[in-house]
């Protein structure tokens, strides 16, 4: 069978190997479609920390079961399944407390272990979620949307709240739409006008504010001086992360979803005066995946606008470089296998 491997930064190749054999507790899946994520782009660009090569990338997967033993999830051969790509240990303090998303020994498919850019893959039955009613396009976006669903759940967002989401990439746009579906009024912020227009026109976000000096005043006007009770950062950029709480109301919550590499500096009196709750949000849990699957089943998410680029796997390598450049209008690229 064919697979695509990232040999080293900047170099992919298509290769052949034997199909995986099934083993106890695992299932063999046919990979139908793979979504390309920031992690994959960083791994290819060579700026993903602690990454080892060669590696088969891909953790956003639409799959169909081709071999599976009897299991208590009732998953059978021929079923569509979503893969939760975080392999957690089940024993550590986080796992014991139900926080498998931040397991101390977490291994992510396509990051720490080979992922889904291959025709067939063997994965533990434990990480499969039945998704019979979903199409390949729907299955492939469940993981990136689950990241947003987790961040929203962390924030304990209530209907009627006003939220600011900084960053109109795939994770940010996912948070925006899911927050709106949950009954919030959403203000999108980005430094790229093209992406803001996309969020407003294609995704239907309530307000779009260009990042920069006047953005705090704009958010103040929109909220009658209250500011947003919840702010999400989906950029991972140091400057954005350090100033995100400027958009936050007194008594608000600030959720860091994007990951930066170094130190963040906050002025203590500023965050203290607002009694700021700062929280990080990492990966997602089964509950978040199931929530997203139910939203997709009801067709509440504008999928056609979210998936912007699709190619067959034989065409992925020549197209990959162009997906690194946001000015090409890429939100979510997907690859058919
Ligand atoms: Zn992803
Ligand atoms: Zn664990």
């Amino acid at each position: 069978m064919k697979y695509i491997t990232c040999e080293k930064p900047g170099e992919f190749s298509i290769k052949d190997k034997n199909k995986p054999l099934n083993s106890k507790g695992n299932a063999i899946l046919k990979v139908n479609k793979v979504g390309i994520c920031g992690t994959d782009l960083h791994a290819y660009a060579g700026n993903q920390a602690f990454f080892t090569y060669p590696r088969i990338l891909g953790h956003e997967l639409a799959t169909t079961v081709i071999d599976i033993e009897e299991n208590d999830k009732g998953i059978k051969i021929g079923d569509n399944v979503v893969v939760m790509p975080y392999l957690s240990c089940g024993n550590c303090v986080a796992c014991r407390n139900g926080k498998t998303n931040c397991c101390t020994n977490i291994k992510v498919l396509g990051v720490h272990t080979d992922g889904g850019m291959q025709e067939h893959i063997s994965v533990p039955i434990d990480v499969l979620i039945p998704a019979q009613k979903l199409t390949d396009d729907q299955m492939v976006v469940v993981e990136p949307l689950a990241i947003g669903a987790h961040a929203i759940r962390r924030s304990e967002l209530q209907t009627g709240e006003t939220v600011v989401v900084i960053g109109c990439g795939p994770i940010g746009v996912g948070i925006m739409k899911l927050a709106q579906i949950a009954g919030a009024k959403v203000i999108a912020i980005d430094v790229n006008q093209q992406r803001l227009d996309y969020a407003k026109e294609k995704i239907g976000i309530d307000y779009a504010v260009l990042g920069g000096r006047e953005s705090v005043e704009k958010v103040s006007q929109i909220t009658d001086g209250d500011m947003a009770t919840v702010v999400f950062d989906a950029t991972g950029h140091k400057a954005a992360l350090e100033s995100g709480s400027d958009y936050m109301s007194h008594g608000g919550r600030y959720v860091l979803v994007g990951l930066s590499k170094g130190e963040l500096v906050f002025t203590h009196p500023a965050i203290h005066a607002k009694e700021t709750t700062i929280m990080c949000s990492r990966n997602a849990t089964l509950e978040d995946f199931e929530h997203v699957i139910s939203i997709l089943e009801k067709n509440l998410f504008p999928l056609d606008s979210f998936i912007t680029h699709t190619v067959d796997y034989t065409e992925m390598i020549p197209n990959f470089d162009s997906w690194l450049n946001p000015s090409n209008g890429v939100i979510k690229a997907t690859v058919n296998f």
Side-chain angles (χ1 to χ4, degrees):
M1 66 168 195
K2 301 282 189 219
Y3 68 104
I4 299 176
T5 178
C6 187
E7 305 279 9
K8 58 183 185 200
E11 187 184 325
F12 279 116
S13 50
I14 297 188
K15 291 187 163 170
D16 243 314
K17 65 174 179 178
N18 292 332
K19 291 179 179 172
L21 296 173
N22 208 358
S23 56
K24 182 110 189 79
N26 275 35
I28 305 290
L29 311 177
K30 158 85 184 73
V31 177
N32 305 327
K33 203 183 240 305
V34 178
I36 305 300
C37 177
T39 310
D40 305 313
L41 299 171
H42 289 305
Y44 174 74
N47 51 23
Q48 180 77 11
F50 309 114
F51 204 87
T52 56
Y53 302 85
R55 177 67 66 214
I56 300 175
L57 305 181
H59 60 271
E60 302 178 357
L61 310 180
T63 65
T64 304
V65 177
I66 54 175
D67 192 9
I68 194 165
E69 66 201 36
E70 241 195 341
N71 58 86
D72 41 9
K73 295 183 177 185
I75 298 172
K76 303 179 301 297
I77 291 173
D79 285 356
N80 285 345
V81 287
V82 165
V83 176
M84 207 162 65
Y86 325 119
L87 309 176
S88 53
C89 76
N91 299 318
C92 75
V93 60
C95 287
R96 293 199 309 275
N97 289 319
K99 297 201 57 115
T100 51
N101 59 306
C102 57
C103 168
T104 60
N105 305 305
I106 201 160
K107 292 206 168 34
V108 180
L109 283 180
V111 179
H112 309 99
T113 165
D114 280 338
M117 285 188 185
Q118 42 187 336
E119 290 183 274
H120 295 175
I121 185 170
S122 169
V123 299
I125 295 170
D126 283 350
V127 299
L128 301 183
I129 308 169
Q132 260 317 68
K133 293 188 197 142
L134 299 194
T135 63
D136 289 339
D137 277 353
Q138 290 175 318
M139 281 192 279
V140 88
V141 301
V142 171
E143 192 267 348
L145 295 183
I147 304 269
H150 187 72
I152 289 169
R153 191 156 63 86
R154 292 273 290 139
S155 77
E156 298 182 8
L157 181 68
Q158 305 294 312
T159 305
E161 284 196 279
T162 300
V163 312
V164 156
V165 182
I166 309 160
C168 293
I171 297 295
V173 164
I175 296 169
M176 289 171 198
K177 196 64 196 178
L178 292 173
Q180 221 178 28
I181 292 168
K185 193 159 79 174
V186 178
I187 304 169
I189 297 185
D190 201 290
V191 291
N192 179 326
Q193 186 63 49
Q194 190 193 352
R195 280 197 158 182
L196 281 175
D197 294 343
Y198 161 83
K200 196 142 193 285
E201 284 152 28
K202 301 279 187 180
I203 305 295
I205 301 312
D206 304 287
Y207 301 94
V209 172
L210 192 63
R213 265 185 298 137
E214 283 150 37
S215 57
V216 173
E217 184 50 38
K218 287 251 169 63
V219 171
S220 175
Q221 281 166 13
I222 293 167
T223 58
D224 289 330
D226 283 349
M227 308 306 285
T229 48
V230 189
V231 175
F232 297 92
D233 178 85
T235 69
H237 290 152
K238 180 177 163 69
L241 282 158
E242 289 177 341
S243 57
S245 67
D246 294 350
Y247 302 112
M248 193 196 71
S249 69
H250 281 238
R253 295 93 82 200
Y254 182 28
V255 188
L256 314 188
V257 189
L259 179 63
S260 71
K261 282 192 179 152
E263 293 174 350
L264 295 177
V265 178
F266 296 102
T267 305
H268 189 195
I271 59 169
H272 203 94
K274 290 183 171 182
E275 200 182 56
T276 306
T277 301
I278 297 183
M279 59 184 94
C280 299
S281 182
R282 184 182 179 199
N283 297 331
T285 66
L286 178 62
E287 190 178 344
D288 306 308
F289 277 73
E290 288 178 338
H291 175 66
V292 169
I293 289 172
S294 78
I295 299 258
L296 292 168
E297 280 176 353
K298 293 180 207 135
N299 285 315
L300 296 174
F301 194 84
L303 200 64
D304 292 345
S305 301
F306 190 73
I307 297 178
T308 50
H309 296 67
T310 297
V311 298
D312 287 337
Y313 76 91
T314 49
E315 292 301 311
M316 188 195 86
I317 297 173
N319 279 284
F320 208 86
D321 276 308
S322 71
W323 298 338
L324 298 172
N325 184 353
S327 72
N328 291 325
V330 185
I331 296 294
K332 179 59 67 187
T334 71
V335 179
N336 294 327
F337 269 80

